[in-house]
Amino acid sequence: MRRLTVIGLGLIGASCCAAIKKRATDWTIAGYSRTEATRQQAVARGLIDQSFGSIVDAVAGADLVLIAVPMGQFLTVFSEVLQCRDPQTVVTDAGSTKESVIRDITALCETPPDWFVPGHPIAGSEHNGVDAADADLYVDHQVILTPHSKVSTDALKLVTSFWALQGASVSMMDAERHDEVLALTSHLPHILAFNLVHVLSDDNEHLDIFRYAAGGFRDFTRIAASDPTMWRDISLANQQSIVTGIDRYVERLERMREAIADGDSDWIMGSFERARGARRLFSSLADRGVDPVMDSHPSVFEITGAKKGITGKIRVPGDKSISHRSIMLGALADGVTTVEGFLEGEDAIATVKAFRDMGVQIDGPNGGHVTVHGVGRDGLKPPIAPLYMGNSGTSMRLMCGILAGQSFDSELTGDSSLSRRPMRRVSEPLARLGAMVETSAEGYPPIKIKGGQTLQGCHTDMKVASAQVKSALLLAGLYAADETSVTEPAPTRDHTERMLQGFGYEVTREGATASMCGGSRLNACHIDIPSDISSAAFFLVAASIVPGSDLTLSHVGINPTRTGILEILNLMGADIEVLNRREVGGEPVADLRVRYAPLKGIKVPENLVPLAIDEFPVLFVAASCAEGPTCVTGAEELRVKESDRIQSMVDGLSKLGVDIKDTPDGALIKGGGVDFRFNGGTVESHEDHRIAMAFTVAGLMCCEMITVNDCANVATSFPNFIGLARETGFPLTVPP
Ligand code: S3P
């Protein structure tokens, strides 16, 4: 048996006792409280095995001591524990501030002892006392440990397992950082809640006011019912960080007061929009623990063979590449840019959020409408924290170009997939312009960009055919002296060049080279974003392989640098009509009518690869259903997308019965022809949106069921995929 001593039987200490009693039989628990009645209650509720009114007696023989008293009592309690603990006893605490604990301890001992592990469970309630003890209080909550450099490994292990046993997830942090973070996320909200209630209670009519107060008041002030002693102690223990937080808040509130008094509707709207966006991001963060990828989006798709053709007329969401660029150039322009058809997917939202974090007011997206209040080419403000790009490689790489030209330092981070994607392809050519863009030692994010550099335009011969690299260079070129030019080894999407021209910025194109001169300004404009041909591709293939299909996709962008998919499907024998060709805001657009047609295998011409780079996952599905072999070469770039798309497709399709072999730069797929049906089974999308949707299309030609795992990221590029797929006849279900 191991012995746990809990000093302080309030909500935090008593809940630990309850949690350990519920989950572990090999611990006996000794409880200390100054108050007799509390001790009796703890025994009566079965929370502790023995109660003590003296710390010396309670601590004797303990393996682990948890100090869970208000911060103001910590020093007194710790000095007693210091004198009476046995040599093997490990001590931890549950205080809400951590630097003060270290300060208190160093007042008693020269260096913090190796048997003491400072900790803080991020859980609580406005209820207090032993009565409020809750055996599940820590389940799925964070516990932050802030071990100092001397802490012994065994002590750290014991404390970590103590919290893990209670269902908490344990993380480590530096004490100073802990206090700064908690000042903003916990201490400041409590202080605001106490003060709002205080202000209202000063009113003579406060009883009446409280009677009529609705949910907003209740939600905002719930925590003002917390223990005043505890919060006084926390306020004093974390003085510095809390004062900084209050100053920031007061400044913001004063600005809001001014805007309301002046009737500045745009400013108010911008501020609320920004807060709402951040709050939503927080909700998804809170749901899944770390990365704000959407738990709220279904993560498993189940699809069985189509019973009839894929039919109807749909409009898929706005182009992702153009959506990113509309925000970037809109933010750097002089004046207000209005955008229509904006993709409300997580990737484009990451770009919106990054510019908001740099002080740009962006209203929306709302039904595809966005208003960007440009700050001019030199108007961005330093972000206060690293800019989080989520899953979006385009945001990160293009932002490198823009940030390289700013006067301030910045940092870009991303989710686990983006954190494994190569970034030297942008950092190295940008360095030749004089930019300081630093990746991890392996060439991955996070990326640190040093501001205040003088950029000098130069010529770059790009090694890979990448529109992202080309765009990063051209965007840095806005800030570089003289001419910046880029030659690409094969044509890639030219949305940056087109949109710069739409903003009145001169860019010239000669053969494979795009050139521009730095120093001019961008003029705000209106942007009408066509539907994304990369999203349309899933439906082009679906309707091509399912007999009886006749589907029209309206308003699809058919920029010639993006239409590789149409050319490849046509070579395979697909029946796609391009109707109603028109030009919208500098981009060619058309309606695409696609009808079922038996496909044949082909050797995909290498020159079409960069023009269809995002469409290969679903093209592999088309090739599986085609008559004869399809050979893809020159597509090694697929290995460094959101997943290794060659590997992801080869693994999944082999499992579904396709005769497919990977090569370093592509794959050889032996198509089964019109009678081919995929086997049922479970496939992994590796959190890659396009892999998830490609396997969903395969499910249309399966007699059993295909289950696709890890589909939540479909929302990065195609948030209403499920709805549109069902509307056109996909028997697609999402298990609860
Ligand atoms: C994009 C360019 C392509 C593409 C990506 C979007 C862009 O990447 O795969 O989805 O918006 O510039 P590369 O340019 O790296 O091939």
Side-chain angles (χ1 to χ4, degrees):
M1 293 296 277
R2 285 192 287 179
R3 189 175 173 83
L4 167 70
T5 296
V6 177
I7 301 182
L9 296 170
L11 169 74
I12 296 296
S15 294
C16 280
C17 298
I20 296 290
K21 278 273 164 240
K22 181 173 169 181
R23 293 173 180 80
T25 48
D26 59 340
W27 284 89
T28 54
I29 307 181
Y32 162 86
S33 169
R34 292 192 295 198
T35 322
E36 164 91 62
T38 304
R39 296 197 296 267
Q40 282 174 0
Q41 260 168 298
V43 174
R45 284 195 56 189
L47 300 175
I48 56 176
D49 300 299
Q50 287 172 291
S51 80
F52 294 93
S54 125
I55 290 183
V56 178
D57 295 341
V59 168
D63 293 291
L64 177 65
V65 173
L66 168 70
I67 303 177
V69 296
M71 300 304 306
Q73 292 166 31
F74 179 81
L75 185 57
T76 323
V77 169
F78 189 83
S79 59
E80 271 197 69
V81 172
L82 182 65
Q83 278 156 33
C84 65
R85 67 176 272 282
D86 293 341
Q88 88 287 351
T89 309
V90 170
V91 181
T92 187
D93 80 313
S96 306
T97 63
K98 297 276 61 99
E99 284 212 286
S100 67
V101 162
I102 304 284
R103 261 197 315 270
D104 281 354
I105 290 175
T106 36
L108 294 171
C109 349
E110 233 164 72
T111 52
D114 63 357
W115 43 262
F116 178 68
V117 183
H120 176 205
I122 315 286
S125 146
E126 67 279 23
H127 304 297
N128 37 53
V130 67
D131 274 347
D134 173 0
D136 296 324
L137 186 67
Y138 305 111
V139 173
D140 291 337
H141 277 74
Q142 292 267 340
V143 171
I144 301 176
L145 303 181
T146 59
H148 48 88
S149 57
K150 301 277 176 323
V151 165
S152 85
T153 328
D154 287 347
L156 192 56
K157 251 197 218 155
L158 179 62
V159 176
T160 306
S161 63
F162 166 69
W163 287 112
L165 181 61
Q166 299 177 60
S169 85
V170 182
S171 48
M172 308 288 158
M173 213 185 250
D174 171 52
E176 189 184 340
R177 177 79 183 135
H178 167 277
D179 286 5
E180 281 166 11
V181 170
L182 268 289
L184 295 174
T185 55
S186 168
H187 309 164
L188 186 60
H190 277 83
I191 286 161
L192 299 183
F194 280 126
N195 278 282
L196 179 68
V197 179
H198 191 150
V199 168
L200 297 191
S201 65
D202 277 348
D203 195 303
N204 287 339
E205 317 246 316
H206 71 267
L207 279 183
D208 240 17
I209 292 179
F210 288 161
R211 196 166 301 131
Y212 296 116
F217 175 82
R218 200 176 315 125
D219 289 349
F220 189 82
T221 60
R222 178 181 60 78
I223 48 181
S226 305
D227 181 3
T229 311
M230 175 175 147
W231 283 98
R232 178 212 47 202
D233 290 355
I234 290 173
S235 305
L236 298 177
N238 197 15
Q239 250 172 344
Q240 190 51 51
S241 298
I242 295 178
V243 167
T244 310
I246 293 178
D247 288 347
R248 277 173 61 186
Y249 190 80
V250 167
E251 198 185 310
R252 183 89 206 148
L253 206 56
E254 270 168 0
R255 182 68 190 88
M256 180 56 78
R257 183 191 177 285
E258 210 177 284
I260 293 175
D262 296 347
D264 187 344
S265 135
D266 283 350
W267 196 91
I268 298 169
M269 188 68 187
S271 170
F272 289 170
E273 289 265 14
R274 179 160 184 217
R276 183 176 68 163
R279 182 63 178 76
R280 284 181 175 169
L281 183 74
F282 162 76
S283 304
S284 47
L285 252 167
D287 283 352
R288 59 190 310 269
V290 207
D291 274 348
V293 182
M294 319 92 326
D295 249 4
S296 48
H297 300 294
S299 78
V300 174
F301 291 176
E302 289 174 348
I303 173 124
T304 45
K307 307 281 173 298
K308 56 183 184 56
I310 301 301
T311 55
K313 181 170 182 177
I314 55 167
R315 177 166 171 167
V316 301
D319 188 282
K320 185 149 76 80
S321 296
I322 304 180
S323 294
H324 285 302
R325 288 155 170 88
S326 69
I327 300 297
M328 294 176 181
L329 298 191
L332 299 179
D334 297 312
V336 177
T337 290
T338 47
V339 185
E340 241 177 278
F342 186 82
L343 168 67
E344 299 189 22
E346 296 281 328
D347 277 11
I349 300 290
T351 298
V352 169
K353 180 155 187 315
F355 280 91
R356 283 184 176 147
D357 287 348
M358 291 188 287
V360 182
Q361 186 188 324
I362 300 171
D363 307 334
N366 214 333
H369 292 278
V370 181
T371 307
V372 189
H373 301 260
V375 293
R377 45 162 275 152
D378 300 313
L380 295 179
K381 301 224 171 71
I384 54 168
L387 299 168
Y388 181 73
M389 300 289 104
N391 193 246
S392 179
T394 309
S395 310
M396 185 171 278
R397 294 196 179 118
L398 271 58
M399 295 288 293
C400 283
I402 293 175
L403 293 170
Q406 304 304 316
S407 57
F408 51 81
D409 297 349
S410 51
E411 184 173 346
L412 297 168
T413 60
D415 71 3
S416 50
S417 149
L418 184 52
S419 301
R420 290 190 302 267
R421 297 187 64 188
M423 294 296 153
R424 284 205 185 110
R425 55 179 56 201
V426 284
S427 63
E428 286 176 358
L430 284 171
R432 297 186 54 249
L433 270 74
M436 284 185 74
V437 178
E438 192 190 306
T439 66
S440 75
E442 300 79 31
Y444 298 139
I447 301 186
K448 294 197 169 103
I449 300 151
K450 189 107 198 82
Q453 307 304 306
T454 308
L455 304 189
Q456 172 61 48
C458 69
H459 177 74
T460 305
D461 276 313
M462 267 162 48
K463 289 190 202 132
V464 277
S466 163
Q468 294 181 351
V469 176
K470 172 177 65 176
S471 302
L473 286 164
L474 294 177
L475 291 169
L478 292 172
Y479 297 93
D482 307 325
E483 190 179 74
T484 298
S485 57
V486 196
T487 301
E488 44 188 8
T492 66
R493 64 192 71 190
D494 62 358
H495 305 300
T496 305
E497 297 92 304
R498 283 177 190 252
M499 201 181 283
L500 278 169
Q501 284 162 343
F503 276 86
Y505 207 101
E506 199 180 325
V507 181
T508 55
R509 176 95 204 184
E510 258 172 58
T513 304
S515 332
M516 46 129 35
C517 284
S520 301
R521 300 190 71 87
L522 300 161
N523 298 318
C525 64
H526 175 73
I527 299 169
D528 185 350
I529 302 181
S531 293
D532 198 327
I533 191 165
S534 298
S535 298
F538 299 102
F539 290 91
L540 292 173
V541 170
S544 296
I545 61 175
V546 178
S549 297
D550 184 353
L551 179 73
T552 300
L553 297 151
S554 60
H555 207 74
V556 181
I558 51 158
N559 177 317
T561 59
R562 297 287 298 282
T563 45
I565 173 81
L566 298 181
E567 294 183 51
I568 295 169
L569 283 176
N570 280 338
L571 289 172
M572 295 176 82
D575 177 359
I576 302 172
E577 258 185 285
V578 181
L579 305 166
N580 196 14
R581 284 176 191 268
R582 55 212 183 267
E583 180 144 326
V584 176
E587 291 279 348
V589 168
D591 300 332
L592 304 177
R593 181 173 180 189
V594 50
R595 279 171 282 197
Y596 167 76
L599 301 180
K600 57 179 195 295
I602 58 164
K603 158 86 185 83
V604 176
E606 283 197 11
N607 65 319
L608 294 181
V609 169
L611 311 182
I613 193 68
D614 291 338
E615 286 66 77
F616 278 93
V618 79
L619 277 170
F620 280 21
V621 173
S624 307
C625 302
E627 188 71 49
T630 291
C631 175
V632 178
T633 54
E636 58 277 7
E637 271 296 295
L638 294 177
R639 294 207 180 268
V640 289
K641 294 292 179 186
E642 284 83 332
S643 69
D644 174 342
R645 286 185 172 159
I646 295 176
Q647 200 60 52
S648 303
M649 288 309 294
V650 168
D651 290 348
L653 289 176
S654 310
K655 221 168 162 193
L656 301 179
V658 178
D659 186 348
I660 179 168
K661 215 172 92 38
D662 68 316
T663 61
D665 64 343
L668 182 66
I669 305 153
K670 294 215 177 104
V674 288
D675 295 327
F676 176 74
R677 293 293 176 271
F678 292 94
N679 293 339
T682 299
V683 287
E684 304 302 324
S685 70
H686 302 281
E687 298 184 356
D688 182 330
H689 54 136
R690 299 202 198 279
I691 302 293
M693 290 184 276
F695 285 134
T696 309
V697 173
L700 294 169
M701 296 300 283
C702 173
C703 297
E704 298 148 48
M705 184 163 81
I706 294 181
T707 302
V708 191
N709 282 336
D710 280 337
C711 299
N713 273 340
V714 163
T716 60
S717 67
F718 202 155
N720 59 342
F721 173 72
I722 297 174
L724 287 183
R726 285 184 182 151
E727 190 183 320
T728 55
F730 282 56
L732 167 60
T733 55
V734 171

